[in-house]
Each structure stands twice: as structure tokens, then as C-alpha cells.
Amino acid sequence: MRKENPITAWLRMQTGLGSGLTPESLAQWQRERIRAVREYAGSHCRFYEKERDFTTPEDLREDPEAFLCVPPKEIARIITLRTSGSQGNPKRVFFTAEDLEATADFFTPGMALMTKPGQCVAVFMEGPGEYTIGGLLKKALAKNQVECQVHGLIRDFEAAGKAAGGADCLVGIPGQLLRLSRLRPDLRPGAVLLSGDYVPESVCRELKTVWETEVFHHWGMTETGYGGAVECGAHAGGHLRHGDLYLEIVDPKTGKPVPAGSYGELVLTTFARRGMPLIRYRTGDIGRLLTGPCGCGDLLPRLDKV
């Protein structure tokens, strides 16, 4: 019997739907959570006191504190995002410790798609603090009995090559790992996870060829709490963090829903965040949802390449 996708198994427990988890039951469960987060945000923060069609990045720049639903002392991390070339206010995103622990919970089954107990992962992304991407991955992988070395963003490629030498899986930004592969073509990681930026197919092809490895995609953004969707070995779309996030696909010009299976702008609702929930947040990313069974057997909607 084929082993169930670990993200699907995790969702059965997280949603409480168990063996009754289907696309239809999940959609109903999510609708209830969306109603709940509208009530919560509407009564706990200034921005959502009145109902809005969308939330935009400009709203986060204009008055980020208006989104806060908890006292500032409960915020564990504030992330400031500056737009390249812009002199305006940066976006600021607030997280409680509970919000970030939820991301680590998603990373645990997500990383099980490409690693096994006893292996080692080298992370070439932000770290090593407890609530950085690297810190959350380290916490998540420990639950899978996988060692994690958080190197941080690559600034010294010679040092990065040494750090990658004994790793079974590398996690990093596409451009940085591509350069590392050209400098250290002798490396042989069993898997590579690309995240943190757009993932060109040309980069995937070169990494597969040079390192003779399997390449996985992850989509996420600061506003999702980092974790969003990750590919399994079937490489047929990213398995979504359905228990924490809801994605709509809309026409970027009109804001109206696009036909099923069509490309459009990803609109995000977070319904498991205490500190700073986002409701119908326009991400600016373009993608589409895939339905029908994945090669791994999962039946839930997946996110096609963004």
C-alpha cells in the first residue's frame, strides 16, 4: 500500500476531519474558519472594524499597527519589508510565538517529503535565531529526527561549500544555490529545496544535471508566515498549508474570481494567526490551483508553479 503524503496525514489531524478529509469537507471547514477570523479580526483590530473587499500591501505600509490583534508585548517577531527602489514606508508584519510555531508544524511534514530520519539538512537561508526560517526549519526537522545545520544566507561560497559537503538535502535561494553548484559541481545532495524567490526552470534543470539531484519547489512569503506550499516527489504542484491558509485566484485587474484552473493573482486569507491575521490579502503573485489526484495520491487542491 502506498504511504500517505505526510502533509495530508497532518491535515487530517489538524482539521479534525480524519478519514473524512476530502476536497468538499475541507472547503466547508475552511469556510467556517474564514467566518471565525472575520469575527476575531473585526473585534480585535482597527483595520478590520469595517469589512473590506481586499487587503493590499499599501495597507500594510500605511498603518501596520492597525492590524494588530494582540498587545505589542505578545509579539515575538516583527519583519520589516522594504520594496526595492521605493522611498515609501516599508511593510511590517507581526507574529506571535504561537503564529511562528504553526509554521514549524507545517515544515515538519513538508520536509518529510524529501528527507528521512538520520539524514542532515544544510539551510542557506535566514538564521540562526529561533524564529527565523532557519530556526523554524531546525525545530521542525528535529521532530523528524533529521539533523539541521543553519548556515544562513550565502556570503562566503567557499564556506558554504564546506557546509554543504556532508548534507543530504540543501535548502536555499535559487540564485545562490545555482552559483554554489557552479563552484562546487562535486557536491551530491540527495535533494534540493528552492525557496525565497522565483524559481526558473532553467535553474532546476542545471541543478539536476550538475548535482545529479532531485529539486523541489516551495512557495511562501513573509505574509504567509513563510510556509505556504511544497512539492512532493510527483512534482505536480505544491501541497498547500490548507489548515492555516486559504487561497483565492482572482483577475488582477478586476478582482473577480477566475474560472477554475485558470491563472490569476493569489489572494490570501490567514485563519490561524492571532497576532496579525490577513483577510483577502492581494499578494501580487500569479498562479493557479490544480485539482484532481496528485501522483502521490493526494486529492486536495494544489498550487501550480507561481
Side-chain angles (χ1 to χ4, degrees):
M1 181 181 293
R2 178 167 50 190
K3 188 176 181 181
E4 185 173 50
N5 183 308
I7 292 179
T8 309
W10 173 70
L11 283 168
R12 292 188 190 281
M13 294 187 293
Q14 188 190 27
T15 61
L17 294 171
S19 60
L21 177 65
T22 65
E24 295 73 25
S25 66
L26 175 66
Q28 176 60 35
W29 184 89
Q30 289 182 320
R31 283 193 290 270
E32 294 170 0
R33 295 306 176 280
I34 292 169
R35 283 196 292 270
V37 76
R38 285 187 181 278
E39 292 177 5
Y40 172 74
S43 61
H44 284 76
C45 73
R46 285 187 284 114
F47 185 80
Y48 291 118
E49 285 178 347
K50 62 179 182 179
E51 193 165 327
R52 301 169 185 268
D53 289 336
F54 292 105
T55 305
T56 68
E58 289 71 27
D59 294 326
L60 293 188
R61 294 188 187 98
E62 185 176 335
D63 190 2
E65 284 78 10
F67 290 83
L68 269 177
C69 289
V70 298
K73 66 180 181 181
E74 293 188 32
I75 296 299
R77 188 163 190 215
I78 304 172
I79 302 174
T80 301
L81 301 169
R82 298 187 181 278
T83 304
S84 177
S86 172
Q87 299 300 315
N89 294 331
K91 289 187 290 185
R92 301 182 75 204
V93 187
F94 300 83
F95 298 99
T96 65
E98 181 183 354
D99 296 335
L100 293 166
E101 291 290 348
T103 295
D105 285 345
F106 171 70
F107 284 166
T108 295
M111 291 304 296
L113 294 168
M114 62 203 77
T115 60
K116 298 177 181 178
Q119 290 187 330
C120 177
V121 174
V123 178
F124 297 98
M125 299 192 76
E126 178 201 33
E130 181 181 8
Y131 293 130
T132 63
I133 296 174
L136 294 171
L137 277 169
K138 187 166 188 174
K139 185 176 296 190
L141 286 162
K143 296 178 182 178
N144 292 342
Q145 297 179 310
V146 175
E147 182 184 352
C148 179
Q149 300 295 330
V150 181
H151 181 85
L153 294 169
I154 301 177
R155 294 179 173 85
D156 180 334
F157 279 85
E158 182 178 353
K162 292 178 181 178
D168 301 286
C169 175
L170 307 182
V171 180
I173 294 171
Q176 291 204 333
L177 291 191
L178 177 64
R179 185 178 178 194
L180 182 62
S181 75
R182 293 172 176 173
L183 296 172
R184 289 293 307 271
D186 57 301
L187 295 173
R188 288 295 179 269
V192 171
L193 176 62
L194 300 178
S195 187
D197 201 353
Y198 173 68
V199 182
E201 285 301 325
S202 58
V203 172
C204 296
R205 287 195 299 270
E206 187 166 341
L207 290 177
K208 290 175 186 176
T209 301
V210 173
W211 280 343
E212 300 176 11
T213 188
E214 186 172 9
V215 178
F216 296 81
H217 296 190
H218 170 265
W219 172 82
M221 54 200 312
T222 301
E223 291 92 331
T224 68
Y226 304 130
V230 63
E231 281 187 315
C232 69
H235 302 286
H239 294 274
L240 280 155
R241 189 179 168 186
H242 287 295
D244 300 309
L245 309 173
Y246 177 70
L247 283 183
E248 301 171 69
I249 313 294
V250 305
D251 184 301
K253 293 182 179 179
T254 67
K256 294 181 179 180
V258 300
S262 299
Y263 284 96
E265 183 178 1
L266 306 185
V267 174
L268 168 74
T269 296
T270 66
F271 43 74
R273 291 247 288 273
R274 287 184 59 250
M276 185 183 188
L278 296 174
I279 299 172
R280 304 202 77 205
Y281 176 76
R282 300 192 67 154
T283 67
D285 284 353
I286 301 297
R288 65 173 180 172
L289 293 177
L290 300 173
T291 57
C294 177
C296 70
D298 181 62
L299 299 175
L300 303 177
R302 303 178 309 284
L303 181 63
D304 203 358
K305 179 176 169 59
V306 174

